Amino acid sequence: MTSTPSLPAVALVASCELPTPWAVFRLHGFQETASGKEHLALTLGQVGDGVPALTRLHSECLTGDGLFSLRCDCGPQLEAALAAIAKEGRGVLLYLRQEGRGIGLLDKLRAYALQDQGLDTVDANRALGLPDDARDYGVAAAMLNTLGVPAVRLMTNNPAKVSALTARGVNVTERVPHVAGRGPRNQDYLETKAARMGHLLPWLEQD
Ligand SMILES: Nc1nc2c(ncn2[C@@H]2O[C@H](COP(=O)(O)OP(=O)(O)OP(=O)(O)O)[C@@H](O)[C@H]2O)c(=O)[nH]1
Ligand SMILES: [Zn+2]
């Protein structure tokens, strides 16, 4: 890391134990100074030693993470990431409050309603006058910085996450494909991510 671009200010407010079915993680609560927005990090093992940490940036999906929705793959991806970190005994999961790729919960439900009428995930956002993807990963870089994690092996199928973190001064040493929760109810959703949003899904993967 030669020069670190300016990152949004975040405060680490509190840390505690979080026992899960996979491991006992450390749970860290962050707050963005400018907006007051709250985010979480789960860490396992010594992640501040400079060795690239197995890392997942998980974008909040209340319907998938908490309500078992089969419209997307978020819930199974969250579980798989925690399981992978536990298996390795070391790593980081950032739980970013970027619901609906950053458009928010209620606009995501508006987009779902349009998808129920046949639009795909991209066109539904556009019909609402919203960006395809409104996420900004500056806060993720700031959280990793605070945790003392300069380098990551990133679990993702989304190249935009790799380039965004890299541009924010995080050394992404490897992209680890992260596939979980594929099923008939989210097949179109996954195909759209691959075809229109540049996601590298294994059955279409070219790298
Ligand atoms: N606007 C919108 N957001 C969605 C939709 N389905 C899921 N999401 C949100 O998408 C986010 C997850 O992003 P994805 O595009 O599924 O995957 P990703 O995080 O970019 O990529 P991976 O790291 O490979 O999982 C979560 O915040 C979900 O709430 C949808 O149909 N419309
Ligand atoms: Zn989801």
Side-chain angles (χ1 to χ4, degrees):
M1 215 170 8
T2 47
S3 70
T4 305
S6 67
L7 299 176
V10 292
L12 175 53
V13 176
S15 299
C16 63
E17 282 194 353
L18 189 76
T20 72
W22 304 280
V24 180
F25 290 86
R26 289 293 293 172
L27 176 63
H28 311 274
F30 285 84
Q31 188 164 39
E32 286 187 61
T33 307
S35 64
K37 197 148 195 186
E38 298 167 343
H39 305 277
L40 299 170
L42 280 76
T43 61
L44 187 66
Q46 297 303 319
V47 294
D49 59 7
V51 178
L54 185 64
T55 297
R56 170 76 180 152
L57 308 189
H58 186 88
S59 300
E60 177 178 19
C61 177
L62 183 68
T63 46
D65 301 339
L67 297 176
F68 318 102
S69 171
L70 299 177
R71 296 185 79 117
C72 61
D73 52 353
C74 300
Q77 281 190 317
L78 178 59
E79 291 195 22
L82 294 176
I85 292 167
K87 189 171 176 200
E88 187 148 309
R90 182 174 175 277
V92 182
L93 182 137
L94 301 187
Y95 191 92
L96 303 167
R97 311 293 298 283
Q98 306 170 320
E99 173 61 69
R101 298 194 191 105
I103 65 173
L105 178 60
L106 297 185
D107 277 331
K108 183 177 82 168
L109 299 191
R110 288 189 180 97
Y112 277 170
L114 292 175
Q115 290 169 38
D116 290 345
Q117 295 166 25
L119 273 62
D120 72 19
T121 171
V122 172
D123 287 334
N125 274 30
R126 291 180 185 177
L128 293 167
L130 297 167
D132 299 349
D133 190 336
R135 289 175 289 185
D136 174 9
Y137 296 101
V139 69
M143 290 166 72
L144 289 171
N145 215 21
T146 303
L147 294 168
V149 179
V152 299
R153 292 162 44 229
L154 192 65
M155 290 183 271
T156 186
N157 310 311
N158 183 354
K161 285 184 175 173
V162 176
S163 49
L165 270 193
T166 303
R168 297 293 196 144
V170 178
N171 181 13
V172 182
T173 62
E174 182 187 353
R175 182 185 73 82
V176 181
H178 192 59
V179 177
R182 240 181 104 190
R185 300 299 297 261
N186 62 24
Q187 183 69 22
D188 288 351
Y189 165 78
L190 294 174
E191 296 283 356
T192 301
K193 287 207 289 190
R196 303 195 65 186
M197 303 192 78
H199 288 232
L200 303 170
L201 298 178
W203 59 97
L204 295 171
E205 205 153 300
Q206 289 147 12
D207 64 347

